[in-house]
């Protein structure tokens, strides 16, 4: 029995998309579950669209997610090179075998000729496909085209009257008739291989046993099966995962601004990689048995539970609210120190703190983040949530204004000012607790009549994190200034 080998083969044309990340994750989990190998290969033949740093960015995003690999451009391996453009000689050798065996032939049609042919077929109500006009050119006709300066592409000769059956791990049996497949291009006139040709050669030579990819690749499968046969290679097992739909149930496009779509964006916002992994795996897969109703899984659990048979045919709906809930769960489970390290760049960018807080400032920031940690859907929210700690003037909400209009409020505020001015102790949460007890004893007000006015006067809000810790973090001078400002407004 062959070792299970899977791969993820992105094009370096942009950042890692959530759809690509899910494909990589499914491939990775299946290889790890089976004790096999996971390969990352770079398909960079689309040179016009390649971006200089896209390969590095995509690999960094995969590493951040915790998806590691056994063979790739950075670690090497027995099947190197792992970039398509470094494998051109390999493709050429296999192309020559196909031509020599009569499975492929040169095509001299220009783009203009092909476009006219396509338009005519559409006008006649036919599905557009290559007519095969160069299939039977004589050596003399080919020579004439060459002398006229035409550089040929190389097309695969699709056999007539075949039915290609694929046993897909997700979709079951899928059948294709070759009648609907025109002779397709294997090599462009400039010598670059097309996707369908390069991917077959690479998967075969890299001994890939399972190809996990998105549903949009189903139409490529019969072409690739024909190439495996013609080259004498054993075809891998195919598994085509369902589409990812947006909240409106429409196919998600990269231009859809209602959804954050790239892994780098989630990382920058302060989503945790374990949350992204957990969320992505449930987009089109579910465990079976007693785990079927659960939603929180560690990476080790996913490796143990994952199976291609449980990948759904039905489209998956991207639920942004569920992702926030899941990320909040992992934030709450994380150490405050970890979340603080993620929060510091956001607070620094907003001008709230220094770029590298140390000593007392670092301790203060850690306490501040800890105060809001359980509320965070993603770490960047810390800037908005902590805004009141950095205001010079308190802005009262309508609810706070209503609370502050109660007749006992000035009495409570004046008593708290006296207590603050008289204490020489450091303003810790315990100190604040004692000060508020003293105010209660002095004024006779307690419960909501005491705590709500204090919170409203100090923060401008009627709800928020622990009041004692909030006052402690604001510090004696700031709290006194805010309480005295409130009294001046009442005067």
């Amino acid at each position: 029995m062959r070792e299970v080998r899977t791969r993820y083969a992105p094009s370096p044309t942009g950042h890692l998309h959530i759809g690509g990340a899910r494909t990589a994750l499914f491939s990775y989990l299946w290889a790890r579950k089976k004790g096999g190998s996971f390969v990352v290969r770079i398909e960079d033949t689309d040179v016009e669209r390649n971006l200089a740093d896209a390969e590095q960015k995509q690999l960094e995003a995969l590493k951040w997610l915790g998806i590691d690999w056994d063979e790739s451009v950075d670690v090497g391996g027995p099947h190197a090179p792992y970039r398509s453009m470094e494998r051109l000689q390999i493709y050429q050798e296999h192309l020559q075998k196909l031509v020599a065996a009569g499975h492929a032939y040169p095509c001299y049609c220009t783009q203009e000729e092909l476009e006219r042919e396509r338009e005519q077929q559409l006008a006649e109500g036919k599905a557009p496909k290559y007519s095969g006009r160069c299939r039977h050119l004589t050596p003399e006709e080919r020579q004439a085209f060459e002398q006229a300066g035409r550089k040929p592409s190389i097309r695969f000769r699709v056999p007539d009257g075949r039915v290609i059956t694929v046993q897909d791990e997700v979709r079951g049996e899928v059948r294709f008739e070759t009648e609907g497949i025109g002779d397709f291009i294997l090599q462009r006139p400039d010598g670059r291989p097309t996707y369908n040709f390069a991917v077959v050669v690479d998967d075969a030579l890299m001994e890939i046993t399972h190809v996990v990819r998105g549903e949009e690749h189903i139409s490529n499968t019969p072409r690739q099966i024909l190439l495996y046969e013609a080259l004498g290679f054993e075809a891998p097992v195919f598994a085509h995962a369902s589409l990812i739909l947006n909240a409106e149930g429409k196919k998600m496009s990269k231009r859809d601004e209602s959804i954050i779509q790239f892994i780098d964006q989630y990382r920058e916002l302060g989503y945790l990689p374990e949350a992204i992994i957990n969320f992505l795996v449930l987009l089109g897969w579910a465990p079976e048995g007693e785990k079927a109703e659960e939603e929180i899984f560690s990476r080790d659990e996913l490796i143990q539970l994952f199976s291609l048979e449980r990948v759904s045919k039905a489209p998956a709906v991207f639920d942004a609210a569920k992702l926030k809930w899941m990320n909040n769960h992992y934030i709450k489970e994380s150490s405050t120190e970890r979340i603080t390290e993620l929060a510091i760049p956001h607070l620094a960018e907003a001008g709230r703190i220094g770029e590298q807080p140390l000593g007392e400032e670092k301790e203060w920031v850690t306490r501040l983040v800890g105060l809001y940690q359980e509320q965070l859907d993603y770490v960047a929210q810390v800037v908005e949530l902590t805004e009141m700690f950095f205001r010079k003037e308190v802005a009262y909400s309508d609810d706070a204004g209503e609370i502050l209009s109660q007749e006992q409020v000035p009495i409570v505020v004046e008593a708290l000012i006296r207590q603050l001015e008289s204490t020489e102790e450091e303003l810790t949460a315990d100190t604040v607790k004692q000060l508020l007890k003293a105010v209660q004893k002095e004024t006779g007000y307690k419960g909501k009549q005491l705590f709500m006015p204090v919170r409203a006067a100090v923060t401008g809000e009627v709800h928020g994190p622990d009041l004692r810790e909030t006052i402690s973090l604001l510090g004696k001078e700031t709290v006194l200034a805010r309480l005295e400002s409130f009294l001046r407004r009442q005067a």
Side-chain angles (χ1 to χ4, degrees), residues 127-316:
K129 70 173 186 176
Y130 180 61
S131 64
R133 61 198 291 180
C134 289
R135 253 189 179 212
H136 306 293
L137 293 177
T138 65
E140 291 76 19
E141 288 171 323
R142 289 177 182 173
Q143 186 177 7
F145 280 127
E146 296 276 356
Q147 289 175 345
R150 291 200 185 190
K151 290 187 176 180
S153 57
I154 305 298
R155 287 186 183 270
F156 183 78
R157 193 186 303 273
V158 176
D160 297 325
R162 284 275 309 276
V163 175
I164 300 166
T165 302
V166 180
Q167 195 63 39
D168 190 280
E169 288 292 287
V170 176
R171 320 198 76 76
E173 186 177 280
V174 187
R175 296 162 65 88
F176 305 89
E177 295 182 359
T178 57
E179 183 64 28
I181 307 171
D183 292 353
F184 53 93
I185 295 174
L186 303 178
Q187 180 178 278
R188 302 176 180 92
D190 65 4
R192 285 182 296 145
T194 58
Y195 163 75
N196 278 315
F197 178 48
V199 76
V200 167
V201 173
D202 290 343
D203 283 345
L205 297 184
M206 294 182 186
E207 303 178 84
I208 300 303
T209 62
H210 293 73
V211 171
V212 183
R213 57 191 183 187
E215 182 182 304
E216 65 273 15
H217 283 288
I218 288 179
S219 61
N220 290 320
T221 308
R223 294 170 175 81
Q224 293 170 15
I225 293 290
L226 290 171
L227 280 168
Y228 279 108
E229 291 178 359
L231 289 165
F233 293 137
E234 180 181 351
V237 174
F238 290 96
H240 289 91
S242 63
L243 296 173
I244 301 176
L245 307 180
N246 63 18
E248 286 72 45
K250 297 178 182 177
K251 181 181 176 181
M252 194 165 61
S253 77
K254 291 182 180 179
R255 293 180 296 276
D256 186 347
E257 295 183 357
S258 67
I259 295 173
I260 300 169
Q261 298 202 30
F262 296 97
I263 298 301
D264 284 349
Q265 293 173 294
Y266 285 104
R267 183 179 184 178
E268 289 164 7
L269 284 170
Y271 281 78
L272 303 186
E274 56 267 43
I276 300 292
I277 287 288
N278 199 152
F279 176 76
L280 286 177
V281 79
L282 296 176
L283 283 178
W285 172 84
E288 59 184 341
E290 62 183 20
K291 294 284 187 178
E293 300 302 316
E294 294 184 21
E295 293 189 299
I296 301 297
F297 301 99
S298 69
R299 189 177 70 156
D300 289 343
E301 285 178 311
L302 291 175
I303 290 171
Q304 180 185 352
L305 295 168
F306 186 79
S307 68
L308 293 174
E309 293 80 8
R310 295 292 298 174
V311 176
S312 173
K313 295 181 190 177

Side-chain angles (χ1 to χ4, degrees), residues 16-187:
L16 179 60
H17 187 260
I18 51 178
R22 184 188 67 164
T23 297
L25 177 60
F26 284 3
S27 297
Y28 164 82
L29 290 174
W30 186 241
R32 293 292 177 258
K33 164 136 189 188
K34 293 297 183 178
S37 296
F38 177 57
V39 178
V40 174
R41 187 176 69 232
I42 304 299
E43 294 181 349
D44 59 348
T45 57
D46 193 355
V47 293
E48 295 85 3
R49 296 178 59 228
N50 289 346
L51 300 177
D53 62 345
E55 176 187 305
Q56 180 184 348
K57 292 288 188 185
Q58 291 214 30
L59 293 178
E60 286 176 355
L62 289 172
K63 286 177 182 176
W64 177 75
L65 287 171
I67 297 176
D68 60 314
W69 46 85
D70 304 288
E71 301 171 31
S72 189
V73 294
D74 58 340
V75 297
H79 303 283
Y82 292 94
R83 290 188 189 90
S84 297
M85 289 301 287
E86 296 172 6
R87 298 173 62 81
L88 296 181
Q89 184 58 40
I90 297 172
Y91 305 136
Q92 191 62 37
E93 290 168 6
H94 287 81
L95 188 71
Q96 289 169 359
K97 290 178 184 178
L98 291 172
V99 173
H103 292 302
Y105 61 90
C107 171
Y108 296 89
C109 297
T110 65
Q111 282 299 114
E112 292 75 19
E113 289 169 342
L114 293 172
E115 186 58 34
R116 283 197 298 272
E117 186 177 273
R118 183 176 183 277
E119 288 174 357
Q120 184 176 345
Q121 289 171 335
L122 288 171
E124 294 172 358
K126 299 177 182 177
K129 70 173 186 176
Y130 180 61
S131 64
R133 61 198 291 180
C134 289
R135 253 189 179 212
H136 306 293
L137 293 177
T138 65
E140 291 76 19
E141 288 171 323
R142 289 177 182 173
Q143 186 177 7
F145 280 127
E146 296 276 356
Q147 289 175 345
R150 291 200 185 190
K151 290 187 176 180
S153 57
I154 305 298
R155 287 186 183 270
F156 183 78
R157 193 186 303 273
V158 176
D160 297 325
R162 284 275 309 276
V163 175
I164 300 166
T165 302
V166 180
Q167 195 63 39
D168 190 280
E169 288 292 287
V170 176
R171 320 198 76 76
E173 186 177 280
V174 187
R175 296 162 65 88
F176 305 89
E177 295 182 359
T178 57
E179 183 64 28
I181 307 171
D183 292 353
F184 53 93
I185 295 174
L186 303 178
Q187 180 178 278

